[in-house]
């Protein structure tokens, strides 16, 4: 069924690596984790990388 295919495309992609995140585009921003205002949705990996590199310095 191509219904599932369409659902996949509704997932918001990570602004860093471009992979689909676990959040669909209809999920409100305030219900999301790892959403950076002014930037967009980050996936778990990229969020962790960014956070870790910030913490290191
Ligand atoms: Zn990413």
């Amino acid at each position: 069924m191509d219904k599932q295919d369409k659902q996949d495309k509704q997932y918001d992609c990570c602004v860093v690596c471009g992979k689909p995140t676990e959040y669909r585009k209809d999920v409100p921003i305030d219900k999301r984790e790892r959403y950076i205002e002014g930037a967009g949705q980050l996936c778990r990996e990229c969020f962790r990388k960014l956070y870790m590199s910030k913490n290191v310095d």
Side-chain angles (χ1 to χ4, degrees), residues 14-19 41-47:
C14 169
V15 291
V16 176
C17 68
K19 284 187 207 164
Q41 186 66 52
L42 293 182
C43 71
R44 217 169 295 177
E45 261 177 74
C46 293
F47 185 81

Side-chain angles (χ1 to χ4, degrees), residues 44-57:
R44 217 169 295 177
E45 261 177 74
C46 293
F47 185 81
R48 203 173 48 192
K49 275 185 207 165
L50 285 178
Y51 251 66
M52 282 173 97
S53 55
K54 266 184 196 167
N55 287 343
V56 165
D57 213 358

Side-chain angles (χ1 to χ4, degrees), residues 16-35:
V16 176
C17 68
K19 284 187 207 164
T21 65
E22 66 260 64
Y23 296 110
R24 287 199 313 217
K25 290 185 177 181
D26 56 4
V27 177
I29 287 161
D30 59 342
K31 293 256 169 75
R32 300 182 188 192
E33 287 178 62
R34 299 183 291 278
Y35 188 91

